[in-house]
Amino acid sequence: EAGVVQSPRYKIIEKKQPVAFWCNPISGHNTLYWYRQNLGQGPELLIRYENEEAVDDSQLPKDRFSAERLKGVDSTLKIQPAELGDSAVYLCASSLRSWGGGHEQFFGPGTRLTVL
Amino acid sequence: GIQVEQSPPDLILQEGANSTLRCNFSDSVNNLQWFHQNPWGQLINLFYIPSGTKQNGRLSATTVATERYSLLYISSSQTTDSGVYFCAVYDSGGGADGLTFGKGTHLIIQP
């Protein structure tokens, strides 16, 4: 069974440019998460989707970040415009339905973003 | 929100040694996972263990939910065990709607 797929694996852009990350979750997983991992830290949640609905986006910086999960499968996370402080690894994870948070989460390989 | 503390922050061992990594959390949880982040950044699931004890080869884990801690045991360490080990919990009290991670234990296994 294929795991969580993310692309691109690496992205280097100049500040003020837009950037987008794509994620395809494990087949059958209704819940999709985007996390951001800064150097030397653990991942931190940005947004959670149940099917196509964003049920928790309280940690997403809405002035420049946006996300969508059309048709409840693939998801795209966008930053526009990027700032130097956005340099990090962006991780996508998926799980079965998250009622009570009791389901195991599986992570993709991440996209390493460098903003110059 | 829930706090997750991992210890030790860094650990250097010789190949063949055993180690114990600890994870303390500040509130009740209904999901606890241990991950190994390899040098390429991939988070590899080790255990899904909200309570009890599990074993997988040279690795085992125990979570005592009533006392709010979990332990990861690595026996007969190999150089491929090097990397960062993360504990992550899901707050059953209605906090952040995803996993809350500790800062990790950076393990180096020397040949």
Side-chain angles (χ1 to χ4, degrees), chain A residues 42-88:
Chain A
E44 295 178 329
L45 180 72
L46 291 174
I47 188 169
R48 175 173 76 93
Y49 280 93
E50 289 289 342
N51 299 305
E52 64 275 6
E53 181 182 359
V55 294
D56 183 4
D57 63 355
S58 58
Q59 306 302 315
L60 192 70
K62 298 182 183 61
D63 56 336
R64 298 182 298 106
F65 286 66
S66 63
E68 61 182 10
R69 192 184 183 196
L70 301 177
K71 302 181 181 179
V73 181
D74 296 3
S75 177
T76 302
L77 178 68
K78 298 179 182 178
I79 308 174
Q80 182 171 10
E83 297 179 352
L84 295 177
D86 296 331
S87 295

Side-chain angles (χ1 to χ4, degrees), chain A residues 9 33 35 37 40-43 45 48 55-56 91 98 100-109 112, chain B residues 30-31 33 35 37 40-43 45 47-48 86 90-92 95-103:
Chain A
R9 292 295 312 279
Y33 309 79
Y35 290 82
Q37 185 175 19
Q41 303 293 318
L45 180 72
R48 175 173 76 93
V55 294
D56 183 4
L91 293 161
S98 70
H103 291 288
E104 187 174 7
Q105 294 185 28
F106 297 86
F107 283 77
R112 184 177 298 275
Chain B
N30 56 11
N31 177 6
Q33 292 184 241
F35 297 92
Q37 190 163 43
W40 296 271
Q42 175 74 55
L43 279 168
N45 289 40
F47 293 101
Y48 167 67
F86 285 105
Y90 198 114
D91 182 359
S92 61
D97 227 359
L99 290 172
T100 298
F101 283 75
K103 293 187 175 182

Side-chain angles (χ1 to χ4, degrees), chain B residues 10-24:
Chain B
D10 301 282
L11 188 58
I12 301 174
L13 299 172
Q14 293 296 121
E15 202 168 19
N18 302 328
S19 58
T20 301
L21 281 56
R22 187 177 180 101
C23 172
N24 292 333

